[in-house]
Amino acid sequence: MLPFKLVYHPGYDLNLGEHVFPSRKYRLIHDHLLDEGFADPMDFVEPQAARDEDILRVHQPGWIQRLKTGTLTNLEILRLEIPYSKQMVEAFLLATGGTILAARNAFRDRVGFNIGGGFHHAFPGHGEGFCAIHDVAVAIRALQHEGRIERALVVDCDVHHGNGTAAIFAGDRSVLTLSMHQFDNYPAEKPPSVIDVHLRDGVSDAEYLDRLRGALKVAMSFGPNIIFYIAGADPYEDDQLGGLSLTMEGLKHRDRIVFETGLGTSVPVAVTVAGGYARNTDDTVAIHCNTARAAREALVPESKQ
Ligand SMILES: [Zn+2]
């Protein structure tokens, strides 16, 4: 039995077919963790779809209504860069419910893990870059509403800048946004996070981990009550949409640093998986599975695993 729950729902699959975004990866991660004996069926919990009440703390009602009723404009669908379907909308609602559940679990288990979510390019009134609903922002607002937290830290290690996160929390002193990304990549316009670590093309493990440690040190002085870790797999050297050069080992090391930073100071960590577009989808799945492994290693001494 794992010391934390894996939040997952078969409906996470956005049903995109042949698309650079391998939306079947959520099921593959689930299956892989089971097949290799890392997890057993009891370790998984299914979320419910996020409620309007939660979503509307972040998003504009018109956007959510058009999304749910299939009345988005062509331009809105183009910006999303994924085909519209009812199943796609349901997947975003489930993933958002999953991030809320993972965040609540983090207070009980020290780590909460959503095998989904991390849709950091969603804005209050529009979606873009494969992201329609900002699950992490919705979860932060839910926790604040419940009175569980005052301050949240978002550690975004996806290779792409967290533009939606930065825009949603601009000027909000209760949320510190940290984005570590390849500068010369999507999105072209990068509204400032509180801490932006702009990386040049081709950065490899040592420099990346060094910059991450430095940024985390500054960010932790904010005194967050929870860390939301957006653990994108796309800084990987063989990613089709990323231009950094991290190895699989380097990425796992990255995960360890984030978990140890949180747990070492008794700050719970809620994980979302975010992007990952390796030429070989097995690599993307392996990187995400390693994040779960890193969480267990940080929670349980090696001798007891
Ligand atoms: Zn990404």
Side-chain angles (χ1 to χ4, degrees):
M1 199 79 157
L2 286 173
F4 60 95
K5 293 292 178 196
L6 296 161
V7 179
Y8 170 75
H9 195 291
Y12 279 4
D13 190 334
L14 290 103
N15 190 33
L16 302 182
E18 285 305 309
H19 191 280
V20 68
F21 181 178
S23 67
R24 65 188 186 288
K25 76 175 181 180
Y26 307 113
R27 177 176 51 79
L28 297 176
I29 298 166
H30 166 271
D31 293 354
H32 191 74
L33 292 174
L34 272 179
D35 291 348
E36 67 176 8
F38 174 83
D40 69 48
M42 299 288 287
D43 292 317
F44 294 89
V45 284
E46 276 193 8
Q48 294 186 330
R51 302 169 309 167
D52 279 355
E53 185 189 332
D54 290 318
I55 293 169
L56 295 177
R57 287 193 197 100
V58 170
H59 289 282
Q60 293 168 8
W63 167 246
I64 298 303
Q65 202 239 345
R66 291 194 298 286
L67 194 62
K68 284 188 165 183
T69 53
T71 52
L72 298 179
T73 65
N74 287 339
L75 186 64
E76 285 177 319
I77 294 173
L78 273 176
R79 279 181 102 173
L80 272 178
E81 296 186 70
I82 47 177
Y84 182 89
S85 70
K86 287 275 179 201
Q87 195 176 339
M88 175 270 268
V89 177
E90 189 58 23
F92 280 114
L93 296 172
L94 283 167
T96 302
T99 299
I100 296 171
L101 180 57
R104 289 183 181 140
N105 288 349
F107 285 95
R108 184 190 60 209
D109 302 330
R110 302 167 70 205
V111 168
F113 200 109
N114 189 12
I115 305 179
F119 297 116
H120 60 162
H121 302 311
F123 285 70
H126 78 272
E128 59 177 70
F130 320 150
C131 301
I133 298 177
H134 201 308
D135 56 298
V136 171
V138 171
I140 289 172
R141 290 300 186 221
L143 294 181
Q144 288 179 328
H145 180 76
E146 290 163 10
R148 285 189 199 231
I149 64 163
E150 287 177 18
R151 292 177 307 282
L153 166 61
V154 180
V155 176
D156 187 343
C157 290
D158 190 277
V159 81
H160 303 102
H161 178 259
N163 55 345
T165 326
I168 288 167
F169 295 114
D172 182 338
R173 297 173 71 89
S174 72
V175 181
L176 194 153
T177 52
L178 188 177
S179 178
M180 193 155 160
H181 48 265
Q182 181 191 7
F183 182 71
D184 191 13
N185 200 330
Y186 174 90
E189 203 179 307
K190 298 175 177 64
S193 315
V194 177
I195 302 175
D196 273 314
V197 182
H198 298 309
L199 300 169
R200 61 185 169 79
D201 297 358
V203 160
S204 53
D205 294 349
E207 182 181 347
Y208 186 97
L209 298 175
D210 215 42
R211 302 282 297 270
L212 175 62
R213 283 191 198 93
L216 282 173
K217 203 167 172 188
V218 176
M220 289 306 283
S221 66
F222 170 65
N225 307 117
I226 186 168
I227 294 172
F228 281 85
Y229 177 33
I230 299 180
D234 46 13
Y236 179 49
E237 57 192 350
D238 203 28
D239 195 274
Q240 299 172 86
L241 301 185
L244 299 184
S245 299
L246 272 73
T247 64
M248 231 179 256
E249 266 315 298
L251 285 161
K252 191 175 175 198
H253 198 153
R254 168 198 75 168
D255 298 336
R256 279 292 292 260
I257 290 171
V258 176
F259 288 121
E260 283 167 4
T261 297
L263 303 182
T265 50
S266 300
V267 179
V269 182
V271 183
T272 57
V273 299
Y277 317 92
R279 248 165 282 278
N280 181 350
T281 299
D282 291 347
D283 287 352
T284 296
V285 171
I287 293 163
H288 290 314
C289 289
N290 279 343
T291 304
R293 255 185 227 105
R296 184 178 62 175
E297 287 165 16
L299 282 167
V300 185
E302 217 137 323
S303 58
K304 292 191 180 160
Q305 282 178 29

